[in-house]
Amino acid sequence: MAGATQICPPAPLQTYVEAVFKAIGADDEIAGVVAAHLIRANLSGHDSHGVIRVPQYVGEADRGALRPAARPTLVRETEVAAVVDAHRGFGHFSTAFALDWALSRARRRGLAAVAVRHSMHIGRLGEYAERAAAGGLLAVVTVGAAGPGLGSVVPFGGQARFLSTNPWSVGVPGRDRSMVFDGATSMVAEGKVRVARAKGTLLPPGCIVDRNGVPSRNPEDFYEGGSLLPLGGEEAGHKGYGLALASAMFGALAMIDDPDPTLPGARVQPEGAEGRAGGVFLAAIDPAAFGDADRYRGLVGATLGAAKRVPPAPGRDEVLLPGEPETISRRKRAGGIAVPDTTWQELVGLAERFHVPLPEHRPAP
């Protein structure tokens, strides 16, 4: 049914995505991990990091930017720190690999950190922080890039693009509930603009400017040379700008001994790339290294519970904790994920190209 949003059950949609990724060269394990990550992003309410990305990744593979079969390797390792080379493979897989290493070492040594280079898009950062918190560990995850003409975000007070959206995610385990924060350092993530364009809707005020620096709400203005604004907007954009630069600097730890420096998502380092830096960085911390881990989880749980008891503002039903909207969304979307027609038609095209069966679907009511 042309023009209609389609509702797809999660499992068949994941099977379809896996088949597409295997068709472009990923093995079963990589395709499974990446597909599961995308579907969970949709279920969590973050359509900007879900199946809308499938055509993007196929296009990157077509151009040779993404290497679907590439597997990450450890290129530097101490007891508590490591550098991973993603070899321009799926960033979801290489970041999961890095997280597994960090969690394992943190349980042995109290804390551990990993920097990842040559990474492509790593998906929803909250996924990694959630995994750490579910295992009883704290985690900080960021991916960033900064430099002249880079990314889609202007620095505070500037006119030209200089930053990627450089998100941060933090996971903290509690006894009966955990906290998972995940947010870009721009007013909105680029993926949110992508979703608005797919749905034919306007953006909230203060998120983007057009190619002339004029504020706009039209997603097309962004893709025609506009830019995202840093978190905080015109009054407090220095906060998002500072966090974005910090993300790139932490990620740049992966570039120190890199013989072939390229930034996240880049096929090659372009000419005139002086002043550019970035990469993926994550750290894991075991609260047991600081004392009684169960007592810590109790303190976290009690504080989060107290936050829930704060009276809601007018027009609000309750105070939500970071990570709670995702949990609520998963319950609501368990029966089906809505795929806008623009994205659905792209998935239909990929199904025809790779001779992959479309997932079970029905028009939205």
Side-chain angles (χ1 to χ4, degrees):
M1 181 176 177
T5 292
Q6 300 295 318
I7 305 297
C8 300
L13 187 56
Q14 182 170 325
T15 298
Y16 163 84
V17 175
E18 286 184 37
V20 170
F21 289 158
K22 285 190 280 189
I24 63 173
D27 64 28
D28 289 353
E29 183 184 13
I30 294 173
V33 167
V34 181
H37 186 116
L38 267 59
I39 298 305
R40 187 159 170 88
N42 280 122
L43 288 171
S44 300
H46 295 284
D47 295 326
S48 57
H49 289 68
V51 296
I52 196 172
R53 295 283 180 172
V54 176
Q56 171 192 336
Y57 299 155
V58 172
E60 290 173 348
D62 287 343
R63 296 191 301 274
L66 169 67
R67 296 172 176 171
R71 285 181 164 266
T73 57
L74 282 166
V75 295
R76 184 180 181 90
E77 180 181 20
T78 71
E79 283 299 306
V80 295
V83 175
V84 168
D85 194 325
H87 302 291
R88 299 208 314 269
F90 278 109
H92 321 68
F93 191 82
S94 56
T95 306
F97 173 88
L99 179 66
D100 287 341
W101 187 94
L103 295 178
S104 176
R105 290 303 176 96
R107 290 188 179 100
R108 289 165 47 187
R109 299 297 182 181
L111 53 84
V114 185
V116 185
R117 66 193 186 202
H118 304 157
S119 174
M120 299 300 286
H121 189 247
I122 73 171
R124 185 178 77 90
L125 269 67
E127 179 73 15
Y128 311 109
E130 282 182 9
R131 278 188 51 202
L137 275 67
L138 293 84
V140 177
V141 186
T142 190
V143 54
L150 194 65
S152 56
V153 184
V154 294
F156 183 60
Q159 282 189 318
R161 293 182 174 191
F162 190 85
L163 302 155
S164 293
T165 56
N166 296 9
W168 288 85
S169 184
V170 178
V172 182
R175 182 174 294 159
D176 55 351
R177 66 184 92 199
S178 296
M179 189 205 86
V180 178
F181 166 78
D182 180 7
T185 54
S186 52
M187 287 293 287
V188 293
E190 182 275 331
K192 304 297 184 185
V193 184
R194 187 186 299 251
V195 170
R197 181 171 66 165
K199 292 182 177 180
T201 58
L202 295 177
L203 292 164
C207 293
I208 66 170
V209 292
D210 65 16
R211 67 173 69 183
N212 299 312
V214 177
S216 172
R217 297 184 62 193
N218 184 353
E220 292 297 340
D221 284 340
F222 170 77
Y223 293 104
E224 292 176 1
S227 302
L228 299 172
L229 292 173
L231 186 65
E234 294 183 0
E235 294 298 321
H238 62 284
K239 298 178 182 180
Y241 174 39
L243 286 169
L245 276 178
S247 171
M249 298 304 102
F250 272 78
L253 290 168
M255 299 177 67
I256 296 174
D257 295 323
D258 187 1
D260 180 28
T262 57
L263 297 177
R267 180 180 179 184
V268 295
Q269 189 79 325
E271 292 295 325
E274 284 296 318
R276 298 187 176 194
V280 180
F281 175 84
L282 61 89
I285 302 169
D286 188 348
F290 298 82
D292 188 324
D294 187 62
R295 176 173 170 77
Y296 174 76
R297 288 190 290 269
L299 290 169
V300 171
T303 303
L304 296 178
K308 290 293 294 178
R309 292 191 295 273
V310 172
R316 300 279 187 173
D317 295 328
E318 61 177 324
V319 173
L320 294 177
L321 299 171
E324 211 169 4
E326 288 79 2
T327 301
I328 294 170
S329 177
R330 287 170 203 147
R331 290 197 297 266
K332 291 181 176 179
R333 295 187 172 194
I337 293 168
V339 182
D341 180 62
T342 301
T343 302
W344 179 253
Q345 294 306 321
E346 291 180 306
L347 300 186
V348 170
L350 293 177
E352 294 173 351
R353 173 183 171 183
F354 296 118
H355 307 289
V356 171
L358 281 169
E360 175 187 338
H361 59 281
R362 64 184 188 276

